């Protein structure tokens, strides 16, 4: 199984650019074309939040159109820029969006790796939090299939990154999640967005990671007083390959764009000078 991940699309309507700089719609078009063109396409794609910029129905209508060419099924979950009801209304055939009651939380059982989505959204806030009921539900769901390899997908990462302005709008209660995850060693990865960068940290006996943004990236500046800035570094996505023989998940980061190559390292059996 190959599980693809894209994140932080921030789709706007009417050709508007985010921060008057970033054409997020065109960035997503490029991303979809590149994912569809992969030699080994993902079996499924999980999209880890900030799907649109202001949670407007018109933005979700645009998002739906932009995602339509994807050659594989995809699963949506909200970030702090999203609005749950508008998201559900725009994707009525995505029945999993209705699993969690008010929150968009669900389990996908259709693949070799189980996918559990958590909702970290606090309406009208940039930071996130997991509800006590969500943590109880997660503990119960994980306990039901202790031998099944599982990934947890959520928007806000459960760790600080050193990028101060993003940590100020992080997850409020990571310790509560860590206590649950540590009880369930079948959790292979916690897949997150929000940071617009590829970042990894050990967490609760597993690995928590963040995915690059589809368009713009958060500036890499570990000064805690640094201002909130973004850069037009190459956008990216991730592929999480389930190695069934080894019983492990291997994660790759790919960059979106056209680059020279591939070139051979060898000419026949000879190393090229």
């Amino acid at each position: 199984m190959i599980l693809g991940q894209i994140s932080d699309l921030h789709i706007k309507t009417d050709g508007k650019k985010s921060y008057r700089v970033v054409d997020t719609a065109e960035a997503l078009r490029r991303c979809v074309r590149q994912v569809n063109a992969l030699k080994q396409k993902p079996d499924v794609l999980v999209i880890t939040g900030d799907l649109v910029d202001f949670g407007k129905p018109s933005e979700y209508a645009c998002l739906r159109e932009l995602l339509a060419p994807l050659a594989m099924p995809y699963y949506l979950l909200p970030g702090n820029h999203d609005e749950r009801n508008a998201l559900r209304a725009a994707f009525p055939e995505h029945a999993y969006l209705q699993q969690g009651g008010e929150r968009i939380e669900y389990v996908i059982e259709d693949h070799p790796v189980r996918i559990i989505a958590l909702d970290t959204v606090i309406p009208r806030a940039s930071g996130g939090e997991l509800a006590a009921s969500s943590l109880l539900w997660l503990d119960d769901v994980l306990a039901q299939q202790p031998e099944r390899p599982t990934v947890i997908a959520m928007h806000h990462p459960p760790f600080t990154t050193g990028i101060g302005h993003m940590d100020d709008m992080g997850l409020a209660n990571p310790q509560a999640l860590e206590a649950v995850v540590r009880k369930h060693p079948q959790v292979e990865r916690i897949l997150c967005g929000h940071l617009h960068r590829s970042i990894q940290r050990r967490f609760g006996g597993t690995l928590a990671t963040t995915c690059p943004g589809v368009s713009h990236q958060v500036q890499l500046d570990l000064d805690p007083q640094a201002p909130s800035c973004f850069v037009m570094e190459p956008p990216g996505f991730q592929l999480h390959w389930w190695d069934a023989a080894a019983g492990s998940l291997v994660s790759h980061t790919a960059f979106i764009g056209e680059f020279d190559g591939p070139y051979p390292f060898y000419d026949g059996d000879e190393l090229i000078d």
Side-chain angles (χ1 to χ4, degrees), residues 67-78:
L67 293 177
L70 278 171
M72 68 288 300
Y74 60 89
Y75 303 112
L76 303 161
L77 62 100

Side-chain angles (χ1 to χ4, degrees), residues 9-66:
L9 317 183
H10 290 273
I11 295 302
K12 301 174 80 72
T13 52
D14 304 321
K16 292 179 181 177
K17 293 183 177 181
S18 283
Y19 316 108
R20 301 180 182 178
V21 174
V22 188
D23 188 342
T24 56
E26 181 56 30
L28 181 54
R29 290 188 191 97
R30 289 195 300 267
C31 177
V32 167
R33 287 195 297 267
Q34 188 154 334
V35 170
N36 281 343
L38 289 169
K39 289 179 66 176
Q40 295 83 32
K41 293 179 178 60
D43 297 284
V44 296
L45 199 66
V46 62
I47 309 180
T48 47
D50 282 0
L51 310 173
V52 302
D53 218 23
F54 287 100
K56 298 177 180 178
S58 59
E59 292 176 333
Y60 288 111
C62 183
L63 173 68
R64 183 183 177 92
E65 180 180 333
L66 291 166

Side-chain angles (χ1 to χ4, degrees), residues 260-273:
D260 289 345
Y263 299 111
F265 288 110
Y266 294 89
D267 184 4
D269 293 330
E270 298 295 325
L271 181 64
I272 298 173
D273 292 330

Side-chain angles (χ1 to χ4, degrees), residues 71 82 106 115 128 170 177 223-224 237:
D82 292 300
Y106 53 84
I115 302 168
L177 176 64
D223 178 352
F237 60 90

Side-chain angles (χ1 to χ4, degrees), residues 99-226:
Q99 282 188 31
E102 177 188 358
R103 291 176 173 270
I104 295 180
E105 297 181 320
Y106 53 84
V107 186
I108 305 298
E109 305 278 18
D110 302 337
H111 312 290
V113 175
R114 199 179 191 209
I115 302 168
I116 300 176
L118 294 175
D119 186 335
T120 61
V121 173
I122 303 172
R124 297 174 297 280
S126 297
E129 186 173 27
L130 288 165
S133 59
S134 298
L135 293 164
L136 289 171
W137 172 80
L138 175 65
D139 193 23
D140 180 62
V141 168
L142 289 170
Q144 291 171 14
Q145 298 191 48
E147 303 301 322
R148 182 95 178 270
T150 300
V151 298
I152 296 171
M154 53 194 285
H155 182 65
H156 295 83
F159 58 90
T160 54
T161 66
I163 301 175
H165 64 96
M166 294 303 293
D167 290 339
D168 288 342
M169 59 178 85
L171 188 71
N173 54 342
Q175 297 87 354
L177 176 64
E178 185 169 21
V180 173
V181 170
R182 193 172 293 280
K183 294 164 56 179
H184 302 282
Q186 78 270 28
V187 177
E188 290 285 335
R189 199 77 85 248
I190 301 174
L191 306 179
C192 309
H194 193 52
L195 261 293
H196 292 243
R197 300 200 67 84
S198 175
I199 307 171
Q200 305 83 37
R201 206 201 92 170
R202 292 172 63 185
F203 179 86
T206 187
L207 187 65
T209 67
T210 66
C211 186
V214 163
S215 53
H216 53 294
Q217 312 307 311
V218 168
Q219 183 182 21
L220 178 55
D221 190 335
L222 301 182
D223 178 352
Q225 305 303 318

